[in-house]
């Protein structure tokens, strides 16, 4: 029996694998109020995100569909879990936080408790070519919530 602390990197790696194999909220959301496509031509990831925002500006439900590599799918799946229940403005700032976190060399800031699982994406910083896979869904979230009609692209 070992009393060693679990290796957090391993836990997060498993979380990414789990979300890529069993994506949460996968499929079309019939009564969506906001949708956006995201395309990452470098990898071939194509996602469509759906959100239903209620009259008070809260994201009631989220879903996504599409195809892509494990990182892009896991990131979209984690996104739908993280932003459901958030106010639109909070979801947008969450998107900005994650994009900054993955694309700059700045030290990690703490994440709010409900975003804790998004630390699972931190590992892609070591693989610059995969960062766009991880940020794709977040670009699409931003586009959906600002009613941007152009597909979000990582290019
Ligand atoms: Zn990809």
């Amino acid at each position: 029996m070992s009393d060693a602390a679990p290796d957090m990197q391993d836990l997060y790696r498993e979380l990414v694998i789990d979300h890529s194999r069993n994506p949460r909220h996968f499929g079309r959301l019939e009564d969506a109020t906001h949708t956006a496509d995201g395309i990452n031509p470098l990898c071939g990831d194509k996602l469509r995100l759906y959100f239903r925002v209620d009259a008070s500006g809260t994201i009631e439900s989220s879903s996504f569909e599409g195809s892509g590599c494990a990182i892009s799918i896991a990131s979209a799946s984690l996104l739908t879990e993280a932003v459901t229940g958030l106010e639109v403005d909070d979801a947008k700032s969450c998107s900005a936080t994650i994009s900054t976190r993955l694309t700059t060399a700045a030290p990690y800031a703490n994440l709010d408790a409900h975003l804790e699982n998004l630390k699972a994406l931190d590992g892609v910083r070591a693989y610059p070519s995969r960062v766009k896979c991880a940020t794709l869904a977040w670009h699409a979230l931003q586009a959906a919530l600002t009613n941007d009609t152009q597909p979000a692209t990582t290019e």
Side-chain angles (χ1 to χ4, degrees), residues 40 42-45 68-73 129-130 132-134 136:
N40 175 16
L42 278 187
C43 181
D45 309 316
C69 66
I71 301 284
S72 67
I73 299 295
S129 64
R130 310 310 303 280
K132 288 178 176 176
C133 302
L136 177 62

Side-chain angles (χ1 to χ4, degrees), residues 31 33-34 70 86 93 107 114 138 143-144 150:
D31 47 358
T33 56
H34 296 67
L86 293 187
S93 72
H114 66 282
W138 300 90
Q150 294 298 313

Side-chain angles (χ1 to χ4, degrees), residues 12-40:
Y12 286 132
R13 196 174 301 122
E14 281 170 24
L15 193 60
V16 167
I17 292 169
D18 178 38
H19 275 263
S20 68
R21 288 185 182 157
N22 307 293
R24 319 300 198 269
H25 309 109
F26 190 85
R28 189 185 168 83
L29 189 64
E30 289 304 334
D31 47 358
T33 56
H34 296 67
T35 67
D37 292 325
I39 300 163
N40 175 16

